Amino acid sequence: MSTTHTTVTQILDQMSVIALDCSIWSGARRLKPEDLVLGKGGQLPSDEVVSLGSKKLCKREVLKPFHRLRDQACRLCAREGVRFLGGYAVPDQSISGLSLKLDQVQQDFNQEKQTFLTSYDQHIQEWVNAHPDFAEAIRNAVPDVQHVGQRFQFGYTTYKVVASPQPDNLNQQVNQLGSALREEISRDAQALFEQTFRGKEKVTRKALNPILRLRDKLHGLAFVDPGIAPVVQRLDAGLAQLPNSGALEGEVLTQLMERVLLLCSVEQMERCAEGLTAIDTSSKGKLVKTQVAQSPEVNDTKLQEEPVIEKPVVVPEETNTTATFYF
């Protein structure tokens, strides 16, 4: 067995993949030529009803709970894992807790589905009443409630990935996990810095929550790349120096911002792995050679959910069972 294959196998042995499967009815149907009937005074249908070749059959607001739950599931997976093979690579020790949270999302989704289907006819009628000039086209396009019910689905699949005898393609995907992780952390840290730290002279201790969330994600996935652990070590060295209470300001805030700026840059995280990075406190953030400090880890902290910008993912058929896939 080659060294590369051995390393890939060691990584795969410590993680599983969670793939989300979520579909949501669009609340629209294809626009037909006969639908474009001029209303009173020769007016075209409103953009609220007709757009880009489709006609809407109900208010957008009644579908928002489903999109919110889908985005919540993506955030939960992104907090613990990194995008991989159409899903999220998640440390095995995090699978149980994450599955419980996704089970709750699934339960909430199904409850919202039942509520929507119960009021389906009412939603359609309210939309018809709001657009009487387009009422006939709306009624002619309305699907039956059973068809609509099949368009709402939420589930997830948890599986282990095992390398095949010729794993070249898989090796490439696994070897990119470290880079993907740093990219995701950098993106979230930049958003955090802009929203919470830029231009601030004082912040509350709540500002630590998203930093700890990013730290815990790096710590949990450190096995995917040897360059991740030094970044966690550098973070922990700074967090260990924070006071136990009170607002964060002055030199304490400056040092905390330096750690956030470290996470904002993929290049600085990579240089930190080589023991070369120190963040200059100037606005230009110059790099200075130094040695990474040694310090004990801070305790993992259970946090409230923080928003993470994620594009929705719709992946394989719903099931909550565990499977093995060969690549």
Side-chain angles (χ1 to χ4, degrees), residues 227-270:
I228 301 300
V231 178
V232 177
Q233 184 182 25
R234 184 69 179 275
L235 270 175
D236 288 351
L239 293 170
Q241 298 174 16
L242 296 178
N244 294 325
S245 61
L248 306 173
E249 55 186 327
E251 183 62 24
V252 170
L253 179 58
T254 298
Q255 293 179 1
L256 183 61
M257 291 172 65
E258 290 176 356
R259 266 56 184 190
V260 177
L261 288 172
L262 166 63
L263 299 182
C264 286
S265 170
V266 171
E267 181 184 7
Q268 289 188 24
M269 283 189 279
E270 291 173 345

mmCIF file of all heavy atoms in Angstrom, residues 227-270:
data_model
loop_
_atom_site.group_PDB
_atom_site.id
_atom_site.type_symbol
_atom_site.label_atom_id
_atom_site.label_comp_id
_atom_site.label_asym_id
_atom_site.label_seq_id
_atom_site.Cartn_x
_atom_site.Cartn_y
_atom_site.Cartn_z
ATOM 1 N N GLY A 227 -1.552 20.712 8.603
ATOM 2 C CA GLY A 227 -1.395 22.155 8.767
ATOM 3 C C GLY A 227 -2.512 22.808 9.549
ATOM 4 O O GLY A 227 -2.437 24.011 9.834
ATOM 5 N N ILE A 228 -3.552 22.052 9.918
ATOM 6 C CA ILE A 228 -4.676 22.638 10.651
ATOM 7 C C ILE A 228 -4.374 22.781 12.137
ATOM 8 O O ILE A 228 -4.714 23.785 12.757
ATOM 9 C CB ILE A 228 -5.947 21.785 10.450
ATOM 10 C CG1 ILE A 228 -6.300 21.693 8.963
ATOM 11 C CG2 ILE A 228 -7.115 22.360 11.238
ATOM 12 C CD1 ILE A 228 -6.581 23.010 8.306
ATOM 13 N N ALA A 229 -3.718 21.797 12.726
ATOM 14 C CA ALA A 229 -3.458 21.808 14.170
ATOM 15 C C ALA A 229 -2.696 23.048 14.631
ATOM 16 O O ALA A 229 -3.029 23.623 15.683
ATOM 17 C CB ALA A 229 -2.720 20.534 14.584
ATOM 18 N N PRO A 230 -1.652 23.519 13.921
ATOM 19 C CA PRO A 230 -0.962 24.733 14.371
ATOM 20 C C PRO A 230 -1.863 25.964 14.408
ATOM 21 O O PRO A 230 -1.682 26.845 15.248
ATOM 22 C CB PRO A 230 0.155 24.899 13.337
ATOM 23 C CG PRO A 230 0.396 23.529 12.803
ATOM 24 C CD PRO A 230 -0.954 22.889 12.780
ATOM 25 N N VAL A 231 -2.853 26.019 13.509
ATOM 26 C CA VAL A 231 -3.775 27.145 13.523
ATOM 27 C C VAL A 231 -4.634 27.085 14.781
ATOM 28 O O VAL A 231 -4.867 28.106 15.446
ATOM 29 C CB VAL A 231 -4.670 27.137 12.261
ATOM 30 C CG1 VAL A 231 -5.674 28.274 12.303
ATOM 31 C CG2 VAL A 231 -3.799 27.239 11.006
ATOM 32 N N VAL A 232 -5.107 25.888 15.122
ATOM 33 C CA VAL A 232 -5.890 25.713 16.351
ATOM 34 C C VAL A 232 -5.040 26.078 17.559
ATOM 35 O O VAL A 232 -5.509 26.756 18.495
ATOM 36 C CB VAL A 232 -6.399 24.261 16.473
ATOM 37 C CG1 VAL A 232 -7.155 24.065 17.792
ATOM 38 C CG2 VAL A 232 -7.296 23.907 15.295
ATOM 39 N N GLN A 233 -3.786 25.665 17.544
ATOM 40 C CA GLN A 233 -2.872 25.966 18.645
ATOM 41 C C GLN A 233 -2.690 27.473 18.800
ATOM 42 O O GLN A 233 -2.687 27.995 19.922
ATOM 43 C CB GLN A 233 -1.519 25.295 18.386
ATOM 44 C CG GLN A 233 -0.515 25.464 19.512
ATOM 45 C CD GLN A 233 0.818 24.809 19.179
ATOM 46 O OE1 GLN A 233 1.153 24.637 18.013
ATOM 47 N NE2 GLN A 233 1.561 24.460 20.205
ATOM 48 N N ARG A 234 -2.560 28.157 17.691
ATOM 49 C CA ARG A 234 -2.385 29.603 17.725
ATOM 50 C C ARG A 234 -3.639 30.288 18.266
ATOM 51 O O ARG A 234 -3.564 31.234 19.059
ATOM 52 C CB ARG A 234 -2.067 30.109 16.319
ATOM 53 C CG ARG A 234 -1.777 31.604 16.249
ATOM 54 C CD ARG A 234 -0.449 31.923 16.951
ATOM 55 N NE ARG A 234 -0.175 33.335 16.861
ATOM 56 C CZ ARG A 234 0.438 33.923 15.817
ATOM 57 N NH1 ARG A 234 0.815 33.191 14.781
ATOM 58 N NH2 ARG A 234 0.667 35.215 15.817
ATOM 59 N N LEU A 235 -4.803 29.798 17.845
ATOM 60 C CA LEU A 235 -6.054 30.332 18.363
ATOM 61 C C LEU A 235 -6.160 30.119 19.865
ATOM 62 O O LEU A 235 -6.519 31.029 20.621
ATOM 63 C CB LEU A 235 -7.234 29.651 17.667
ATOM 64 C CG LEU A 235 -7.784 30.260 16.387
ATOM 65 C CD1 LEU A 235 -8.865 29.361 15.820
ATOM 66 C CD2 LEU A 235 -8.318 31.650 16.633
ATOM 67 N N ASP A 236 -5.863 28.900 20.301
ATOM 68 C CA ASP A 236 -5.989 28.575 21.717
ATOM 69 C C ASP A 236 -5.047 29.418 22.570
ATOM 70 O O ASP A 236 -5.389 29.806 23.700
ATOM 71 C CB ASP A 236 -5.697 27.090 21.945
ATOM 72 C CG ASP A 236 -6.826 26.197 21.428
ATOM 73 O OD1 ASP A 236 -7.884 26.745 21.062
ATOM 74 O OD2 ASP A 236 -6.642 24.973 21.388
ATOM 75 N N ALA A 237 -3.862 29.706 22.050
ATOM 76 C CA ALA A 237 -2.908 30.531 22.791
ATOM 77 C C ALA A 237 -3.495 31.909 23.064
ATOM 78 O O ALA A 237 -3.326 32.461 24.161
ATOM 79 C CB ALA A 237 -1.602 30.651 22.008
ATOM 80 N N GLY A 238 -4.190 32.473 22.078
ATOM 81 C CA GLY A 238 -4.804 33.776 22.280
ATOM 82 C C GLY A 238 -6.034 33.712 23.161
ATOM 83 O O GLY A 238 -6.229 34.572 24.033
ATOM 84 N N LEU A 239 -6.876 32.696 22.973
ATOM 85 C CA LEU A 239 -8.099 32.578 23.764
ATOM 86 C C LEU A 239 -7.792 32.334 25.237
ATOM 87 O O LEU A 239 -8.530 32.785 26.119
ATOM 88 C CB LEU A 239 -8.961 31.447 23.209
ATOM 89 C CG LEU A 239 -9.555 31.687 21.816
ATOM 90 C CD1 LEU A 239 -10.181 30.410 21.269
ATOM 91 C CD2 LEU A 239 -10.583 32.811 21.854
ATOM 92 N N ALA A 240 -6.699 31.624 25.508
ATOM 93 C CA ALA A 240 -6.332 31.330 26.900
ATOM 94 C C ALA A 240 -5.941 32.582 27.666
ATOM 95 O O ALA A 240 -5.972 32.600 28.902
ATOM 96 C CB ALA A 240 -5.186 30.317 26.927
ATOM 97 N N GLN A 241 -5.571 33.648 26.961
ATOM 98 C CA GLN A 241 -5.143 34.886 27.608
ATOM 99 C C GLN A 241 -6.287 35.847 27.878
ATOM 100 O O GLN A 241 -6.101 36.883 28.512
ATOM 101 C CB GLN A 241 -4.092 35.580 26.734
ATOM 102 C CG GLN A 241 -2.822 34.765 26.532
ATOM 103 C CD GLN A 241 -1.875 35.410 25.543
ATOM 104 O OE1 GLN A 241 -2.001 36.587 25.221
ATOM 105 N NE2 GLN A 241 -0.914 34.632 25.059
ATOM 106 N N LEU A 242 -7.493 35.514 27.430
ATOM 107 C CA LEU A 242 -8.635 36.404 27.613
ATOM 108 C C LEU A 242 -9.102 36.390 29.066
ATOM 109 O O LEU A 242 -9.039 35.359 29.743
ATOM 110 C CB LEU A 242 -9.784 35.974 26.705
ATOM 111 C CG LEU A 242 -9.554 36.069 25.204
ATOM 112 C CD1 LEU A 242 -10.773 35.550 24.459
ATOM 113 C CD2 LEU A 242 -9.243 37.498 24.788
ATOM 114 N N PRO A 243 -9.599 37.511 29.560
ATOM 115 C CA PRO A 243 -10.156 37.533 30.919
ATOM 116 C C PRO A 243 -11.411 36.675 30.981
ATOM 117 O O PRO A 243 -12.074 36.435 29.966
ATOM 118 C CB PRO A 243 -10.480 39.017 31.135
ATOM 119 C CG PRO A 243 -10.635 39.590 29.760
ATOM 120 C CD PRO A 243 -9.672 38.823 28.898
ATOM 121 N N ASN A 244 -11.755 36.219 32.159
ATOM 122 C CA ASN A 244 -12.893 35.318 32.329
ATOM 123 C C ASN A 244 -14.239 36.024 32.324
ATOM 124 O O ASN A 244 -15.283 35.370 32.255
ATOM 125 C CB ASN A 244 -12.746 34.525 33.633
ATOM 126 C CG ASN A 244 -11.557 33.583 33.602
ATOM 127 O OD1 ASN A 244 -11.231 33.029 32.551
ATOM 128 N ND2 ASN A 244 -10.903 33.414 34.736
ATOM 129 N N SER A 245 -14.254 37.338 32.418
ATOM 130 C CA SER A 245 -15.516 38.069 32.449
ATOM 131 C C SER A 245 -15.297 39.482 31.913
ATOM 132 O O SER A 245 -14.160 39.926 31.748
ATOM 133 C CB SER A 245 -16.070 38.125 33.882
ATOM 134 O OG SER A 245 -15.160 38.798 34.740
ATOM 135 N N GLY A 246 -16.395 40.149 31.664
ATOM 136 C CA GLY A 246 -16.325 41.532 31.218
ATOM 137 C C GLY A 246 -16.239 41.690 29.721
ATOM 138 O O GLY A 246 -15.969 40.738 28.982
ATOM 139 N N ALA A 247 -16.484 42.923 29.270
ATOM 140 C CA ALA A 247 -16.404 43.240 27.853
ATOM 141 C C ALA A 247 -14.958 43.139 27.370
ATOM 142 O O ALA A 247 -14.013 43.184 28.168
ATOM 143 C CB ALA A 247 -16.947 44.642 27.597
ATOM 144 N N LEU A 248 -14.796 43.011 26.065
ATOM 145 C CA LEU A 248 -13.474 42.888 25.465
ATOM 146 C C LEU A 248 -13.129 44.204 24.781
ATOM 147 O O LEU A 248 -13.824 44.644 23.855
ATOM 148 C CB LEU A 248 -13.472 41.743 24.448
ATOM 149 C CG LEU A 248 -13.955 40.393 24.989
ATOM 150 C CD1 LEU A 248 -14.069 39.378 23.858
ATOM 151 C CD2 LEU A 248 -13.029 39.889 26.078
ATOM 152 N N GLU A 249 -12.052 44.835 25.213
ATOM 153 C CA GLU A 249 -11.654 46.122 24.670
ATOM 154 C C GLU A 249 -10.157 46.310 24.839
ATOM 155 O O GLU A 249 -9.479 45.488 25.460
ATOM 156 C CB GLU A 249 -12.406 47.248 25.375
ATOM 157 C CG GLU A 249 -12.253 47.252 26.894
ATOM 158 C CD GLU A 249 -13.128 48.304 27.553
ATOM 159 O OE1 GLU A 249 -13.341 49.370 26.935
ATOM 160 O OE2 GLU A 249 -13.592 48.067 28.681
ATOM 161 N N GLY A 250 -9.646 47.401 24.275
ATOM 162 C CA GLY A 250 -8.227 47.708 24.415
ATOM 163 C C GLY A 250 -7.331 46.648 23.796
ATOM 164 O O GLY A 250 -7.611 46.095 22.744
ATOM 165 N N GLU A 251 -6.237 46.346 24.512
ATOM 166 C CA GLU A 251 -5.254 45.393 24.019
ATOM 167 C C GLU A 251 -5.851 43.994 23.885
ATOM 168 O O GLU A 251 -5.494 43.244 22.970
ATOM 169 C CB GLU A 251 -4.050 45.348 24.962
ATOM 170 C CG GLU A 251 -2.920 44.433 24.505
ATOM 171 C CD GLU A 251 -2.304 44.867 23.178
ATOM 172 O OE1 GLU A 251 -2.399 46.062 22.841
ATOM 173 O OE2 GLU A 251 -1.720 44.003 22.501
ATOM 174 N N VAL A 252 -6.764 43.644 24.779
ATOM 175 C CA VAL A 252 -7.421 42.329 24.711
ATOM 176 C C VAL A 252 -8.189 42.187 23.395
ATOM 177 O O VAL A 252 -8.105 41.162 22.707
ATOM 178 C CB VAL A 252 -8.377 42.140 25.910
ATOM 179 C CG1 VAL A 252 -9.237 40.891 25.715
ATOM 180 C CG2 VAL A 252 -7.586 42.033 27.201
ATOM 181 N N LEU A 253 -8.929 43.240 23.036
ATOM 182 C CA LEU A 253 -9.682 43.198 21.790
ATOM 183 C C LEU A 253 -8.741 43.160 20.588
ATOM 184 O O LEU A 253 -8.995 42.440 19.616
ATOM 185 C CB LEU A 253 -10.602 44.418 21.694
ATOM 186 C CG LEU A 253 -11.439 44.529 20.410
ATOM 187 C CD1 LEU A 253 -12.323 43.301 20.216
ATOM 188 C CD2 LEU A 253 -12.287 45.802 20.430
ATOM 189 N N THR A 254 -7.655 43.910 20.663
ATOM 190 C CA THR A 254 -6.684 43.917 19.567
ATOM 191 C C THR A 254 -6.121 42.519 19.323
ATOM 192 O O THR A 254 -6.030 42.051 18.188
ATOM 193 C CB THR A 254 -5.534 44.888 19.864
ATOM 194 O OG1 THR A 254 -6.053 46.212 19.989
ATOM 195 C CG2 THR A 254 -4.497 44.864 18.748
ATOM 196 N N GLN A 255 -5.755 41.830 20.405
ATOM 197 C CA GLN A 255 -5.201 40.486 20.268
ATOM 198 C C GLN A 255 -6.241 39.510 19.731
ATOM 199 O O GLN A 255 -5.925 38.616 18.930
ATOM 200 C CB GLN A 255 -4.678 40.010 21.620
ATOM 201 C CG GLN A 255 -3.460 40.797 22.107
ATOM 202 C CD GLN A 255 -2.980 40.322 23.471
ATOM 203 O OE1 GLN A 255 -3.537 39.390 24.053
ATOM 204 N NE2 GLN A 255 -1.948 40.983 23.992
ATOM 205 N N LEU A 256 -7.496 39.690 20.156
ATOM 206 C CA LEU A 256 -8.551 38.818 19.655
ATOM 207 C C LEU A 256 -8.781 39.053 18.164
ATOM 208 O O LEU A 256 -8.949 38.097 17.397
ATOM 209 C CB LEU A 256 -9.845 39.072 20.428
ATOM 210 C CG LEU A 256 -11.036 38.174 20.068
ATOM 211 C CD1 LEU A 256 -10.716 36.715 20.326
ATOM 212 C CD2 LEU A 256 -12.283 38.605 20.848
ATOM 213 N N MET A 257 -8.763 40.295 17.754
ATOM 214 C CA MET A 257 -8.928 40.617 16.342
ATOM 215 C C MET A 257 -7.795 40.041 15.502
ATOM 216 O O MET A 257 -7.996 39.644 14.353
ATOM 217 C CB MET A 257 -9.034 42.132 16.150
ATOM 218 C CG MET A 257 -10.323 42.718 16.699
ATOM 219 S SD MET A 257 -10.352 44.530 16.674
ATOM 220 C CE MET A 257 -10.309 44.856 14.915
ATOM 221 N N GLU A 258 -6.597 39.985 16.070
ATOM 222 C CA GLU A 258 -5.469 39.385 15.352
ATOM 223 C C GLU A 258 -5.750 37.920 15.038
ATOM 224 O O GLU A 258 -5.417 37.422 13.950
ATOM 225 C CB GLU A 258 -4.195 39.507 16.182
ATOM 226 C CG GLU A 258 -3.667 40.934 16.289
ATOM 227 C CD GLU A 258 -2.465 41.043 17.204
ATOM 228 O OE1 GLU A 258 -2.091 40.016 17.815
ATOM 229 O OE2 GLU A 258 -1.900 42.141 17.314
ATOM 230 N N ARG A 259 -6.361 37.217 15.987
ATOM 231 C CA ARG A 259 -6.685 35.802 15.757
ATOM 232 C C ARG A 259 -7.755 35.669 14.676
ATOM 233 O O ARG A 259 -7.699 34.756 13.846
ATOM 234 C CB ARG A 259 -7.167 35.158 17.052
ATOM 235 C CG ARG A 259 -6.098 34.448 17.869
ATOM 236 C CD ARG A 259 -4.944 35.337 18.223
ATOM 237 N NE ARG A 259 -3.884 34.622 18.921
ATOM 238 C CZ ARG A 259 -2.855 35.228 19.506
ATOM 239 N NH1 ARG A 259 -2.771 36.543 19.490
ATOM 240 N NH2 ARG A 259 -1.908 34.528 20.102
ATOM 241 N N VAL A 260 -8.716 36.571 14.681
ATOM 242 C CA VAL A 260 -9.750 36.523 13.650
ATOM 243 C C VAL A 260 -9.138 36.814 12.282
ATOM 244 O O VAL A 260 -9.458 36.161 11.286
ATOM 245 C CB VAL A 260 -10.882 37.527 13.965
ATOM 246 C CG1 VAL A 260 -11.923 37.528 12.841
ATOM 247 C CG2 VAL A 260 -11.548 37.185 15.288
ATOM 248 N N LEU A 261 -8.222 37.780 12.231
ATOM 249 C CA LEU A 261 -7.558 38.103 10.964
ATOM 250 C C LEU A 261 -6.711 36.935 10.469
ATOM 251 O O LEU A 261 -6.556 36.744 9.261
ATOM 252 C CB LEU A 261 -6.693 39.354 11.140
ATOM 253 C CG LEU A 261 -7.470 40.670 11.277
ATOM 254 C CD1 LEU A 261 -6.535 41.809 11.645
ATOM 255 C CD2 LEU A 261 -8.225 40.985 9.996
ATOM 256 N N LEU A 262 -6.160 36.172 11.382
ATOM 257 C CA LEU A 262 -5.438 34.965 10.986
ATOM 258 C C LEU A 262 -6.361 34.033 10.216
ATOM 259 O O LEU A 262 -6.000 33.495 9.164
ATOM 260 C CB LEU A 262 -4.884 34.251 12.221
ATOM 261 C CG LEU A 262 -4.396 32.802 12.029
ATOM 262 C CD1 LEU A 262 -3.221 32.751 11.059
ATOM 263 C CD2 LEU A 262 -4.010 32.183 13.365
ATOM 264 N N LEU A 263 -7.583 33.858 10.727
ATOM 265 C CA LEU A 263 -8.541 32.963 10.087
ATOM 266 C C LEU A 263 -9.092 33.540 8.785
ATOM 267 O O LEU A 263 -9.595 32.799 7.949
ATOM 268 C CB LEU A 263 -9.705 32.667 11.036
ATOM 269 C CG LEU A 263 -9.357 31.980 12.358
ATOM 270 C CD1 LEU A 263 -10.624 31.713 13.156
ATOM 271 C CD2 LEU A 263 -8.593 30.688 12.122
ATOM 272 N N CYS A 264 -8.986 34.852 8.619
ATOM 273 C CA CYS A 264 -9.505 35.486 7.403
ATOM 274 C C CYS A 264 -8.655 35.185 6.175
ATOM 275 O O CYS A 264 -9.114 35.368 5.052
ATOM 276 C CB CYS A 264 -9.585 37.002 7.592
ATOM 277 S SG CYS A 264 -10.930 37.555 8.667
ATOM 278 N N SER A 265 -7.425 34.766 6.378
ATOM 279 C CA SER A 265 -6.498 34.590 5.268
ATOM 280 C C SER A 265 -6.054 33.136 5.134
ATOM 281 O O SER A 265 -5.452 32.579 6.054
ATOM 282 C CB SER A 265 -5.265 35.482 5.469
ATOM 283 O OG SER A 265 -4.251 35.167 4.545
ATOM 284 N N VAL A 266 -6.333 32.534 3.985
ATOM 285 C CA VAL A 266 -5.855 31.178 3.719
ATOM 286 C C VAL A 266 -4.334 31.150 3.754
ATOM 287 O O VAL A 266 -3.735 30.220 4.306
ATOM 288 C CB VAL A 266 -6.376 30.694 2.351
ATOM 289 C CG1 VAL A 266 -5.718 29.374 1.959
ATOM 290 C CG2 VAL A 266 -7.893 30.530 2.386
ATOM 291 N N GLU A 267 -3.699 32.162 3.162
ATOM 292 C CA GLU A 267 -2.239 32.209 3.119
ATOM 293 C C GLU A 267 -1.640 32.274 4.520
ATOM 294 O O GLU A 267 -0.669 31.577 4.829
ATOM 295 C CB GLU A 267 -1.774 33.416 2.311
ATOM 296 C CG GLU A 267 -0.252 33.517 2.210
ATOM 297 C CD GLU A 267 0.198 34.766 1.482
ATOM 298 O OE1 GLU A 267 -0.662 35.624 1.170
ATOM 299 O OE2 GLU A 267 1.407 34.903 1.224
ATOM 300 N N GLN A 268 -2.212 33.087 5.392
ATOM 301 C CA GLN A 268 -1.677 33.194 6.752
ATOM 302 C C GLN A 268 -1.869 31.902 7.530
ATOM 303 O O GLN A 268 -1.011 31.527 8.330
ATOM 304 C CB GLN A 268 -2.331 34.377 7.474
ATOM 305 C CG GLN A 268 -1.864 35.717 6.936
ATOM 306 C CD GLN A 268 -2.364 36.882 7.765
ATOM 307 O OE1 GLN A 268 -2.670 36.738 8.944
ATOM 308 N NE2 GLN A 268 -2.445 38.049 7.149
ATOM 309 N N MET A 269 -2.996 31.224 7.313
ATOM 310 C CA MET A 269 -3.185 29.939 7.983
ATOM 311 C C MET A 269 -2.152 28.927 7.497
ATOM 312 O O MET A 269 -1.629 28.129 8.287
ATOM 313 C CB MET A 269 -4.607 29.422 7.737
ATOM 314 C CG MET A 269 -5.665 30.106 8.576
ATOM 315 S SD MET A 269 -7.296 29.313 8.459
ATOM 316 C CE MET A 269 -7.895 30.026 6.913
ATOM 317 N N GLU A 270 -1.840 28.952 6.208
ATOM 318 C CA GLU A 270 -0.835 28.040 5.675
ATOM 319 C C GLU A 270 0.552 28.373 6.227
ATOM 320 O O GLU A 270 1.327 27.474 6.569
ATOM 321 C CB GLU A 270 -0.830 28.110 4.148
ATOM 322 C CG GLU A 270 -2.092 27.515 3.524
ATOM 323 C CD GLU A 270 -2.153 27.737 2.021
ATOM 324 O OE1 GLU A 270 -1.380 28.582 1.515
ATOM 325 O OE2 GLU A 270 -2.970 27.067 1.353
#
